């Protein structure tokens, strides 16, 4: 009960911080969004040229550094990796493409619902379906194989890179790109955003906060521990939005969202399914990378590349709706996820073994 109380308190704090970040300048219903903020960072370092989504988001840096600091303090930091890294890289790309079809990660999906955006219901439905499919393959023996202990410096590199990026942001490095309009131009002051990220990073590391893990655990084990944290985020963000006048119930005219229900659904099917195979949602991948997990760092890099691909090739949705290129990309990514699921589960392995035995 004490553990559940802890994650509920953590969720409440994350929900409140997400609303407060909107007061300080972040877009409405986007106080904290892992996919959106990684996309902005990709634009900020010139990996894509969409002018309205380019900014180095200190919240992401804070998440990584917060997880790093608390894991070092609690002696949970461990440099490890080598578990199908390129497969994880490809899955990171796919999850990001799905998220940018929906226009948000699982955390923003909850925050959108807390702000009255009913399009998020279609996203949640797709997300749950994707997790159900992922769990099916887990039950069929899906496994990306074991990881290995690595030199400690390998685990330090990802936090060091994030710290370096923050120094460049503070210095106003001339090669960085900053949006002058649109969501990328809307942001909280640097130090407030960093502090918010640090708090969320520490809480997420200590409680293992992960919506994919929570939904998966509820399906597989009837364990509501992780899911209770996201329910707390929903409730407290909802209360905050009501008090501050950000709540707007409906489907139409929601901030940075579209009303194409089918593609909201399919985008989050891809996010849920891919994240189950990876072992955690985009938030969890950042926290694990901060703890020294090189496989999660590779996944985050895949997400960064996925964001660049999405905006360079017109795959990302906009308030006008899903693009044709984006629809094709989501379907291609779903096929890739099916192939990855089959290739790494006992379904395909058992069939190969049976065929060999028959031939012998």
């Amino acid at each position: 009960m004490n553990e559940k109380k802890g994650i509920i308190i953590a969720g409440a704090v994350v929900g409140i911080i997400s609303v407060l970040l909107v007061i300080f300048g972040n877009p409405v219903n986007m106080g904290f969004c892992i996919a959106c903020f990684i996309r902005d960072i990709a634009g900020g370092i010139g990996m894509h040229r969409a002018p309205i989504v380019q900014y180095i988001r200190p919240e992401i840096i804070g998440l990584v550094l917060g997880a790093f600091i608390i894991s070092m303090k609690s002696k949970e930091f461990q440099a490890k990796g080598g578990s199908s890294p390129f497969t994880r890289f490809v899955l990171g790309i796919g999850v990001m493409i799905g998220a940018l079809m929906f226009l948000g990660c699982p955390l923003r999906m909850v925050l959108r619902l807390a702000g009255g955006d009913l399009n998020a219901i279609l996203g949640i439905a797709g997300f749950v379906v994707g997790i159900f499919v992922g769990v099916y393959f887990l039950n069929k023996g899906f496994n990306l194989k074991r990881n290995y202990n690595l030199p400690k410096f390998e685990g330090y590199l990802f936090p060091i890179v994030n710290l370096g990026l923050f120094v460049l942001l503070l210095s106003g490095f001339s090669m960085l790109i900053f949006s002058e309009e649109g969501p990328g131009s809307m942001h909280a002051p640097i130090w407030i955003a960093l502090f918010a990220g640090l708090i969320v990073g520490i809480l997420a590391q200590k409680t293992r906060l992960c919506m994919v893990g929570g939904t998966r655990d509820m399906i597989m084990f009837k364990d509501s521990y992780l899911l209770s944290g996201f329910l707390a985020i929903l409730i407290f963000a909802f209360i905050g939005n009501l008090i501050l006048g950000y709540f707007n119930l409906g489907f139409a005219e929601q901030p940075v969202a579209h009303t194409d229900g089918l593609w909201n659904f399919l985008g989050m099917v891809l996010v849920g399914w891919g994240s189950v195979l990876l072992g955690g949602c985009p938030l969890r991948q950042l926290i694990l990378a901060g703890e020294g997990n090189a496989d999660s760092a590779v996944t985050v890099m895949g997400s960064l590349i996925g964001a660049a691909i999405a905006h360079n090739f017109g795959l990302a949705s906009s308030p006008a709706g899903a693009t044709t290129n984006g629809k094709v990309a989501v379907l291609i990514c779903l096929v890739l996820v099916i192939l990855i699921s089959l290739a790494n589960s006992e379904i395909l392995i058992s069939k190969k073994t049976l065929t060999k035995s028959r031939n012998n």
Side-chain angles (χ1 to χ4, degrees):
M1 288 300 296
N2 286 335
E3 287 184 356
K4 183 164 281 192
K5 184 187 294 184
I7 198 168
I8 289 171
I9 292 171
V13 172
V14 173
I16 292 167
I17 285 175
S18 298
V19 176
L20 290 177
L21 284 171
V22 175
I23 295 176
F24 286 114
N26 283 9
V28 178
N29 287 1
M30 200 192 291
F32 224 121
C33 175
I34 308 305
C36 303
F37 289 0
I38 289 176
R39 171 205 63 198
D40 291 354
I41 290 173
I45 59 177
M47 293 177 68
H48 71 71
R49 297 291 171 173
I52 61 172
V53 283
Q54 295 172 311
Y55 180 64
I56 307 301
R57 293 281 181 180
E59 295 92 339
I60 297 295
I61 297 169
L63 280 174
V64 174
L65 296 181
F68 172 71
I69 291 166
I70 198 67
S71 65
M72 289 291 290
K73 186 176 185 302
S74 61
K75 302 190 185 318
E76 293 179 285
F77 181 90
Q78 184 180 5
K80 54 188 179 181
S83 169
S84 304
F86 192 66
T87 297
R88 292 179 184 275
F89 181 79
V90 171
L91 285 171
I93 292 174
V95 167
M96 178 58 76
I97 288 173
L100 293 180
M101 169 59 75
F102 170 72
L103 291 177
C105 65
L107 176 55
R108 187 179 182 230
M109 179 176 67
V110 172
L111 295 175
R112 281 174 58 174
L113 185 60
D117 183 353
L118 297 181
N119 298 293
I121 294 173
L122 279 300
I124 291 171
F127 184 67
V128 172
V129 168
I131 292 174
F132 262 106
V133 178
V135 166
Y136 169 80
F137 283 101
L138 291 182
N139 289 330
K140 294 296 181 181
F142 178 85
N143 188 351
L144 288 178
K145 309 304 180 287
R146 60 161 294 184
N147 53 29
Y148 302 88
N149 291 331
L150 299 172
K152 280 193 174 181
F153 188 72
E154 185 75 20
Y156 296 154
L157 269 177
F158 191 70
I160 288 171
V161 168
N162 276 269
L163 184 59
L165 192 59
F166 185 68
V167 171
L168 290 178
L169 176 63
L170 282 179
S171 69
F173 182 54
S174 62
M175 299 300 288
L176 298 179
I177 306 171
F178 300 93
S179 294
E180 296 183 1
E181 59 180 2
S185 68
M186 304 168 68
H187 48 80
I190 291 174
W191 287 104
I192 290 176
L194 179 72
F195 187 61
L198 285 168
I199 293 173
V200 176
I202 289 169
L203 292 174
Q205 196 281 331
K206 294 305 293 181
T207 61
R208 310 296 190 260
L209 190 65
C210 176
M211 189 164 181
V212 168
T215 310
R216 176 203 62 207
D217 290 354
M218 179 60 75
I219 293 169
M220 296 181 73
F221 312 116
K222 310 302 180 193
D223 182 351
S224 63
Y225 167 72
L226 290 174
L227 202 56
S228 62
F230 273 84
L231 290 174
I233 293 174
L234 174 64
I235 291 168
F236 279 85
F238 167 69
I239 293 170
N241 284 323
L242 277 179
I243 292 172
L244 296 170
Y246 296 137
F247 187 79
N248 175 32
L249 186 65
F251 288 94
E253 299 181 0
Q254 295 292 341
V256 197
H258 63 82
T259 58
D260 194 329
L262 174 62
W263 292 98
N264 279 326
F265 177 87
L266 289 176
M268 291 310 288
V269 167
L270 179 55
V271 172
W273 189 349
S275 295
V276 168
L277 302 186
L278 286 164
C281 64
L283 169 63
R284 183 68 182 144
Q285 296 301 322
L286 281 169
I287 299 303
L288 289 171
E291 293 177 6
N293 191 315
D295 292 328
S296 290
V298 167
T299 301
V300 174
M301 291 298 100
S303 298
L304 193 72
I305 296 296
I309 291 171
H311 280 284
N312 285 330
F313 294 96
L315 313 182
S317 300
S318 72
T323 68
T324 300
N325 288 358
K327 294 173 184 178
V328 172
V330 166
L331 294 177
I332 291 172
C333 287
L334 284 170
V335 171
L336 276 174
V337 173
I338 291 171
L339 294 175
I340 290 170
S341 300
L342 289 170
N344 292 279
S345 69
E346 292 177 1
I347 297 174
L348 196 59
I349 294 169
S350 298
K351 286 182 178 179
K352 285 181 179 179
T353 304
L354 184 61
T355 302
K356 284 182 180 179
S357 64
R358 285 176 177 172
N359 289 338
N360 292 334

